[in-house]
Amino acid sequence: QLSENSGERRRVAGAWMNLGTVAGVQNRLEDARTNFQRCYDIARASGDRRLQAQAIDNLGLGEMMMENYELATTYFSRSLDLMRELGFQRGLANTLVNMGHVATALTDHEAARNQYRQGLAQAESIGNAPIMMECLAGLARIHPDPAQAAEVVGFILEQKATTGEARQIANETLSQHAATLDETARDAALERGKHLELVEVIATLT
């Protein structure tokens, strides 16, 4: 049984959040959903509203992994509202990225582009390079020009701040353009991308 101490509750909630993330990476999706729900239940009991906002975002992540996109969107929207109310800038940027991923899965590219751009601007304003790279990867995935998308991928793969999630999206982007961009053109675009500046990449995508 948990102590009434709020610090202990936050610690345990964080542990369940981490376990949910690990389960998701291991494709144990039901376990991920269960662990995220436990995290939220404890976060709510703790009274820590920032932790609650993060936990709600993770509930959305769990539903997104299960391809329950409508429910995922509901959770992300709730999280977004709370993040804004609390002024939790990093959490806000992260939730915007997740909403972009859902819109992409639903092939609503206009909505996805809008969410990724908002997330990118938010992440840039606080200097969060990993979230910026994930936003750029999301934008590249839905970019209509295969060569330009590959250039952006070249840039993303060259950055130390690029997360595993962003790398996965970047590589998926190359795969989806394999039929329209031959290997020589792809490699040339990737090489060009390595030498781009961030401002040039953002201009390409936004």
Side-chain angles (χ1 to χ4, degrees), residues 1-15:
Q1 188 171 0
L2 280 177
S3 161
E4 291 299 319
N5 182 279
S6 60
E8 175 68 6
R9 289 183 183 274
R10 285 193 293 271
R11 186 189 68 77
V12 174

Side-chain angles (χ1 to χ4, degrees), residues 61-120:
L61 188 61
E63 296 304 328
M64 182 173 72
M65 289 187 294
M66 298 285 288
E67 300 184 0
N68 297 326
Y69 297 124
E70 184 174 350
L71 185 53
T73 298
T74 298
Y75 281 130
F76 289 144
S77 296
R78 284 177 56 196
S79 176
L80 201 64
D81 288 344
L82 189 50
M83 299 282 191
R84 284 182 172 138
E85 181 184 337
L86 297 171
F88 184 16
Q89 303 303 316
R90 183 187 63 78
L92 181 59
N94 191 65
T95 300
L96 284 164
V97 175
N98 287 336
M99 294 182 79
H101 293 340
V102 168
T104 298
L106 294 171
T107 66
D108 187 347
H109 290 176
E110 182 177 353
R113 196 171 292 110
N114 181 50
Q115 302 293 359
Y116 287 137
R117 286 172 175 171
Q118 288 187 57
L120 177 61

Side-chain angles (χ1 to χ4, degrees), residues 143 145-159 174 180-198 200-201 204:
H143 194 63
D145 186 310
Q148 288 185 338
E151 287 181 3
V152 175
V153 167
F155 173 83
I156 291 168
L157 296 178
E158 194 72 5
Q159 306 307 306
L174 295 179
T180 54
L181 194 67
D182 64 51
E183 188 174 340
T184 300
R186 180 202 65 195
D187 290 347
L190 288 171
E191 185 62 30
R192 290 194 301 271
K194 292 179 182 180
H195 306 288
L196 291 175
E197 298 293 332
L198 176 61
E200 295 176 292
V201 175
T204 296

